[in-house]
Amino acid sequence: MDELTALTRDLVAIPSHDGEAAAGDFVEEWLREQTDAAVTRDDAGDADRGGNVIARRGATDDPDAPTLAFVGHHDVVPPDDTQVDTDGSYVVRERDGRLYGRGTADMKGADAAMLLAFRDADLAGAVELVFASFVGEEVGGIGARHAIDAGFAPDWALVAEGSTGYSEPDTVDVAVAHKGRRGSTVTARGQAAHASEPDAGENAVYRACDAVDVVRDLDWPTVTVAGEALSGSVAVTGIEGGSAWNVVPESCAVTVDERTVPGERADLGQVEAIEGVEWTVDQDLPPMRCSDDAFADAVLDAVRAVQDGAGELVTKPHATDAGWLAQDGTACVVCGPAESGEAHTASESVSIDVLERCYESYRRLAASWSG
């Protein structure tokens, strides 16, 4: 699949960590040149982001046709210095059957595989096939939320984030659930006083420490999906308070990272039982659980058909745009080439062989799935 490797290299070479409009332009132009799909570009994000790219083919004239979507994103996290060339473009290297560079794993390799599968698939029945590449996934799902608010609501979605190597190394798996992330701040307020007379004030740091003890004692919810226990977690990740060494602090803020599971949350609101303490949610990326077992099985069948029967239904620890879609009613799975530990690293890479298997799996799914 030289075309798949070349398309991945072209996508990865386009900087898209500080504005992804150029990468979106490339995807849009490729779709218009290579397919007969109806291609649109929305106004998600600011001008530097450039908006989501969404393409549709198949039963596009039937508003009641069921819809299968291939979903990705074309933004990336900031690159390591070794991943940037002198002209500002991203460095892409091929070695030992792998492509190296920022975005190879997360997730321009997957975008390339989906683009080619979107173009090449012989569609099953009256199902409309959609390709969507969103902006702002790495900063909380800006593009996905914008599209959903504008009416993007496929019946089923394959989100091509990483699911490779969960059951065994070098094996593409199908994630039917993943954790979400709720980031919050616990703020303790007191009354300032001179530190030589601590009883004249109310120490906000002490109140914050009491709140931290509550967080440490919270129960973490666990659900079972696909025979696996998916457990949430809560961790204090930062604390800041005080203005000077000789002043009783009047405020203190504690940051909390919570990993959520479908249908369950830790009871962080308990901290507000402490006098002077309030809790605010800063970010809430939803978890995902596939709502259609038949769809999950169909994706797994397509994967196993190109892997000599290998591949399993698994769960995934990382939040993705599948959480936003599932929250809105779309039956989602996550199935993509990135392996655990590859994304966001200085040595980020993706296996070309796995990319090829993903392409073939996506093409087979589009050709067989009728809902």
Side-chain angles (χ1 to χ4, degrees):
M1 289 284 296
D2 291 341
E3 186 179 17
L4 176 55
T5 300
L7 182 56
T8 300
R9 294 180 70 105
D10 289 344
L11 275 168
V12 171
I14 303 171
S16 57
H17 68 282
D18 188 20
E20 54 263 46
D25 292 344
F26 179 94
V27 172
E28 180 184 8
E29 183 177 351
W30 189 95
L31 285 162
R32 294 189 186 281
E33 291 180 351
Q34 295 287 328
T35 76
D36 59 358
V39 183
T40 59
R41 189 85 171 266
D42 66 22
D43 59 352
D46 56 23
D48 289 334
R49 294 204 180 277
N52 301 315
V53 182
I54 300 175
R56 301 174 181 272
R57 58 179 292 250
T60 55
D61 296 330
D62 181 0
D64 298 320
T67 303
L68 167 64
F70 292 156
V71 177
H73 63 86
H74 49 276
D75 65 318
V76 299
V77 298
D80 183 77
D81 289 344
T82 62
Q83 295 170 323
V84 181
D85 212 337
T86 54
D87 63 357
S89 64
Y90 289 176
V91 176
V92 191
R93 298 184 177 91
E94 183 174 343
R95 185 172 70 251
D96 299 328
R98 301 183 71 88
L99 291 174
Y100 289 80
R102 174 60 80 230
T104 49
D106 187 15
M107 60 173 298
K108 290 178 178 178
D111 282 339
M114 287 190 294
L115 282 167
L116 291 174
F118 176 81
R119 182 195 69 184
D120 297 344
D122 295 322
L123 303 187
V127 173
E128 179 185 51
L129 184 63
V130 177
F131 169 86
S133 190
F134 294 142
V135 299
E137 190 274 345
E138 299 289 1
V139 289
I142 290 173
R145 287 181 288 160
H146 180 96
I148 291 167
D149 289 345
F152 184 79
D155 296 282
W156 307 277
L158 183 153
V159 178
E161 295 279 7
S163 67
T164 296
Y166 282 74
S167 66
E168 56 183 308
D170 196 43
T171 297
V172 179
D173 296 304
V174 179
V176 292
H178 69 56
K179 298 180 187 181
R181 177 187 181 272
R182 183 166 64 172
S184 56
T185 303
V186 175
T187 303
R189 305 193 189 282
Q191 181 179 339
H194 196 285
S196 65
E197 298 179 298
D199 291 341
E202 292 290 345
N203 197 312
V205 169
Y206 292 166
R207 288 177 170 177
C209 289
D210 291 340
V212 169
D213 286 340
V214 171
V215 173
R216 292 179 67 180
D217 290 338
L218 287 175
D219 293 328
W220 302 346
T222 299
V223 297
T224 301
V225 183
E228 294 187 5
L230 191 64
S231 296
S233 63
V234 183
V236 170
T237 56
I239 186 166
E240 182 177 357
S243 58
W245 64 269
N246 58 351
V247 177
V248 171
E250 64 181 354
S251 66
C252 184
V254 176
T255 57
V256 180
D257 180 282
E258 178 190 0
R259 300 300 158 142
T260 60
V261 297
E264 302 287 344
R265 298 293 179 93
D267 187 10
L268 276 166
Q270 289 185 33
V271 299
E272 294 191 314
I274 301 169
E275 184 180 357
V277 172
E278 63 183 36
W279 169 58
T280 55
V281 176
D282 305 306
Q283 183 187 64
D284 196 351
L285 307 180
M288 180 276 290
R289 182 172 187 167
C290 183
S291 58
D292 188 334
D293 292 343
F295 176 58
D297 289 340
V299 179
L300 183 61
D301 288 343
V303 167
R304 286 177 168 174
V306 300
Q307 290 191 145
D308 297 325
E312 300 291 340
L313 298 179
V314 299
T315 62
K316 179 179 172 67
H318 316 103
T320 75
D321 278 340
W324 299 111
L325 292 165
Q327 181 175 261
D328 198 57
T330 296
C332 295
V333 299
V334 172
C335 181
E339 303 153 75
S340 181
E342 281 295 335
H344 301 188
T345 66
S347 58
E348 180 177 349
S349 69
V350 69
S351 163
I352 295 172
D353 178 64
V354 170
L355 281 179
E356 293 171 358
R357 277 182 267 147
C358 285
Y359 157 77
E360 183 61 23
S361 298
Y362 303 158
R363 189 190 65 78
R364 285 173 178 264
L365 175 67
S368 62
W369 180 247
S370 62

